[in-house]
Amino acid sequence: MLSNNVIKIITSLSSKKYRQKYNLFVVEGVKNIGEVIKSSIKIKELFITEDFWPDENSIKKTYIDEKELKKISFLSTPNVGLALCELPSNDENIKLNGLTIALDDIRDPGNLGTIIRLADWFGVENILCTKESVDLYNPKVVMSTMGSFTRVKVHYIELESFLSTYEGNIFGTFMEGESIYEQKLPQEGILVMGNEANGISKPIENLTTNKLSIPFFGKNGSTESLNVAVATSVILGEFKSQISNKS
Amino acid sequence: MLSNNVIKIITSLSSKKYRQKYNLFVVEGVKNIGEVIKSSIKIKELFITEDFWPDENSIKKTYIDEKELKKISFLSTPNVGLALCELPSNDENIKLNGLTIALDDIRDPGNLGTIIRLADWFGVENILCTKESVDLYNPKVVMSTMGSFTRVKVHYIELESFLSTYEGNIFGTFMEGESIYEQKLPQEGILVMGNEANGISKPIENLTTNKLSIPFFGKNGSTESLNVAVATSVILGEFKSQISNKS
């Protein structure tokens, strides 16, 4: 049976403060836990209702019932188990390669999760985040990456000062930028995506070398922009489109 | 003050059964309500804490306080008001033009909402949905379209029988299809996107004329596919990319 103290510690991990205090975070669901097992992330304890990983003998497994899982889970419909994982140490050594994504204050956990999953798919190795961006180890971010967070490196840095010394292309996405479809996109550089409500902040906008935009093809006067994760997917798609050979 | 009966009716509109019974649906938030006012959708009553539309004199406005708004709102943080709208009649006359999206059992409200918003952006006029797909007038769908549902026509039809008599290109997205980057994409046809868990159903797969896929560029063996809304955005982006002039 789970002690009240264990329940209290696990549920506290929705908050960054407690994740840092205990040096722990939570991964849920068969798919996500499977990805963590394959990765270098250390699982401190696996709480499961059913063992989907019978060959993994080095992991401490605690069997619990559905009711107990519900008590510690962050999901409305918990799924098989919850892995209590150790926070990986911050990778201070940032080595960029190819295209990198930089996020200027992304606040929505689902958006960060979707962008990490996209980065994994499109071979983007690094994501740079301002320190005010939503935390990678937020349970909702981890959940929505579907395991991709184990493969993409996410760095929380002083983005403005980092970009100010960066010598390559810095792409920013703006409503009034130049169409991504009407220019050659170099395959190396940093693609900055802005905050959900306010877009890219002025100091960072000033550091961009290329202002991009996704042209609007609609007929009626929509004033709305695309969601940031969706915009990221269109832009990454176009970067890849330009290195492919169309018949 | 809102009567208990009004509160009961409005909150019941989360369910399709009651939307059809009362012939009503709910639109929330300044942006969404503003779009509905501009559209042909009829607002039966506007419940507001503050009047953002002082010039709209033909709409019945009922002033309520924040507490009352919280009682009828489907949002965790209600925003200015809620419009009680009449369900538009089903448009039986489907006139396709250019590229059309067909959704084979999309179940997640956020995915449908995002796809409607994308369609609006990329000039897709019609979306065809299987009858089992999530309902357009689900409050979560309406919310996530950010007003785009007033401009894009969404038809709930017998998709399989419709496609079986359709004579143009029927594109389907599959893990093992042909790369979207390595073929000419015609600018007219129907693009079928599949259910979140099961993809495109076999009978509909058999009706597709072109099997598309978004190639995977990642280094490590991710087994995960892209989310359906994100995949739709990459594919729509590539359709548009192919008609643009790159310098």
Side-chain angles (χ1 to χ4, degrees):
Chain A
M1 231 187 66
L2 291 177
S3 72
N4 282 339
N5 193 41
V6 166
I7 295 171
K8 201 178 141 191
I9 290 173
I10 294 177
T11 54
S12 79
L13 300 175
S14 64
S15 133
K16 187 175 173 182
K17 181 178 143 194
Y18 289 103
R19 288 195 293 275
Q20 291 185 328
K21 176 177 172 186
Y22 297 118
N23 203 41
L24 292 170
F25 73 105
V26 153
V27 177
E28 295 196 70
V30 175
K31 165 80 185 162
N32 268 319
I33 293 173
E35 296 281 352
V36 166
I37 289 174
K38 285 196 289 181
S39 80
S40 63
I41 292 168
K42 213 181 151 206
I43 298 178
K44 191 180 152 77
E45 194 165 348
L46 192 53
F47 300 93
I48 42 177
T49 57
E50 194 181 339
D51 194 356
F52 272 69
W53 309 276
D55 299 335
E56 301 292 337
N57 298 312
S58 60
I59 301 171
K60 182 179 174 190
K61 294 172 185 171
T62 301
Y63 285 87
I64 58 176
D65 62 27
E66 300 279 353
K67 257 192 180 164
E68 288 176 304
L69 180 56
K70 220 163 163 90
K71 277 186 194 162
I72 54 174
S73 174
F74 294 97
L75 304 175
S76 49
T77 46
N79 176 6
V80 174
L82 180 151
L84 195 59
C85 304
E86 292 182 9
L87 278 183
S89 54
N90 242 333
D91 187 0
E92 301 289 337
N93 184 15
I94 303 178
K95 270 194 194 161
L96 302 188
N97 181 25
L99 191 64
T100 295
I101 296 172
L103 302 177
D104 186 11
D105 286 9
I106 293 293
R107 298 297 172 99
D108 180 80
N111 283 341
L112 177 57
T114 302
I115 292 170
I116 293 171
R117 200 169 153 190
L118 267 167
D120 187 28
W121 185 275
F122 282 111
V124 170
E125 296 175 17
N126 294 281
I127 297 178
L128 310 174
C129 293
T130 54
K131 297 199 168 174
E132 292 71 31
S133 301
V134 58
D135 184 45
L136 168 61
Y137 298 106
N138 175 312
K140 287 182 193 160
V141 175
V142 169
M143 195 65 216
S144 63
T145 69
M146 300 298 279
S148 288
F149 80 99
T150 61
R151 288 179 295 269
V152 176
K153 294 190 195 89
V154 182
H155 312 273
Y156 288 81
I157 60 167
E158 296 293 349
L159 186 60
E160 191 186 332
S161 77
F162 184 93
L163 293 178
S164 69
T165 61
Y166 180 76
E167 293 180 350
N169 292 298
I170 301 176
F171 307 97
T173 311
F174 301 91
M175 291 300 279
E176 74 297 357
E178 201 195 332
S179 166
I180 52 169
Y181 299 130
E182 285 169 6
Q183 58 187 299
K184 269 261 171 260
L185 298 170
Q187 298 293 313
E188 209 158 309
I190 297 176
L191 169 65
V192 185
M193 302 300 297
N195 170 272
E196 288 88 349
N198 308 315
I200 295 176
S201 63
K202 206 71 200 167
I204 288 182
E205 176 179 346
N206 292 338
L207 296 168
T208 59
T209 58
N210 301 56
K211 288 192 168 50
L212 308 180
S213 80
I214 302 173
F216 175 70
F217 293 91
K219 272 185 188 152
N220 308 285
S222 167
T223 54
E224 191 51 44
S225 60
L226 289 170
N227 158 284
V228 63
V230 161
T232 306
S233 67
V234 173
I235 296 172
L236 290 181
E238 181 58 20
F239 269 91
K240 291 304 174 190
S241 177
Q242 296 201 5
I243 51 163
S244 302
N245 303 312
K246 284 171 196 87
S247 55
Chain B
M1 229 190 65
L2 292 177
S3 72
N4 282 339
N5 193 40
V6 166
I7 295 172
K8 202 177 141 191
I9 290 174
I10 294 178
T11 54
S12 80
L13 300 175
S14 64
S15 134
K16 187 175 174 181
K17 183 179 141 193
Y18 289 103
R19 288 194 294 275
Q20 293 184 327
K21 177 177 170 185
Y22 297 117
N23 203 39
L24 292 171
F25 73 104
V26 153
V27 176
E28 296 196 69
V30 175
K31 163 82 186 161
N32 269 317
I33 294 173
E35 297 280 352
V36 167
I37 289 173
K38 285 195 290 179
S39 80
S40 62
I41 292 168
K42 212 180 151 209
I43 297 179
K44 190 179 152 77
E45 193 166 348
L46 191 54
F47 300 94
I48 42 177
T49 57
E50 193 181 340
D51 194 356
F52 272 70
W53 309 276
D55 299 334
E56 303 291 336
N57 298 313
S58 60
I59 302 172
K60 181 179 174 192
K61 295 173 184 170
T62 301
Y63 285 85
I64 57 176
D65 62 27
E66 300 278 352
K67 257 192 183 164
E68 287 176 304
L69 180 56
K70 219 163 166 92
K71 277 186 193 163
I72 54 173
S73 173
F74 294 97
L75 303 176
S76 49
T77 47
N79 175 5
V80 172
L82 179 149
L84 196 58
C85 303
E86 292 182 10
L87 278 183
S89 54
N90 241 333
D91 187 0
E92 299 289 337
N93 185 15
I94 303 177
K95 271 193 192 158
L96 302 188
N97 181 24
L99 191 64
T100 296
I101 296 173
L103 302 176
D104 186 10
D105 286 9
I106 293 294
R107 298 296 172 99
D108 181 80
N111 284 340
L112 178 57
T114 303
I115 291 170
I116 293 170
R117 199 169 154 190
L118 268 168
D120 188 30
W121 186 275
F122 282 110
V124 171
E125 297 176 15
N126 294 281
I127 297 179
L128 310 174
C129 292
T130 54
K131 297 198 167 174
E132 293 71 31
S133 301
V134 58
D135 184 46
L136 168 61
Y137 298 106
N138 175 312
K140 286 181 194 160
V141 175
V142 170
M143 195 65 215
S144 63
T145 70
M146 300 300 279
S148 288
F149 79 99
T150 62
R151 288 180 295 268
V152 176
K153 294 190 195 88
V154 182
H155 312 273
Y156 288 81
I157 59 168
E158 295 294 347
L159 186 60
E160 192 186 331
S161 78
F162 184 92
L163 294 179
S164 68
T165 62
Y166 181 75
E167 291 178 350
N169 292 298
I170 301 175
F171 307 97
T173 312
F174 301 92
M175 290 300 279
E176 75 296 359
E178 200 195 333
S179 166
I180 53 169
Y181 299 130
E182 285 169 5
Q183 59 186 302
K184 270 260 170 263
L185 298 171
Q187 298 293 314
E188 209 158 309
I190 297 176
L191 169 66
V192 185
M193 302 300 296
N195 169 272
E196 289 87 349
N198 307 315
I200 296 176
S201 63
K202 205 71 199 166
I204 288 181
E205 177 179 345
N206 291 339
L207 296 167
T208 58
T209 58
N210 300 55
K211 288 192 168 51
L212 308 181
S213 81
I214 302 172
F216 176 70
F217 294 90
K219 272 186 188 152
N220 307 285
S222 166
T223 55
E224 191 50 44
S225 60
L226 288 171
N227 160 284
V228 63
V230 161
T232 306
S233 67
V234 173
I235 295 172
L236 290 181
E238 180 59 21
F239 269 91
K240 292 303 174 192
S241 178
Q242 296 202 5
I243 52 165
S244 302
N245 304 312
K246 283 169 197 90
S247 55

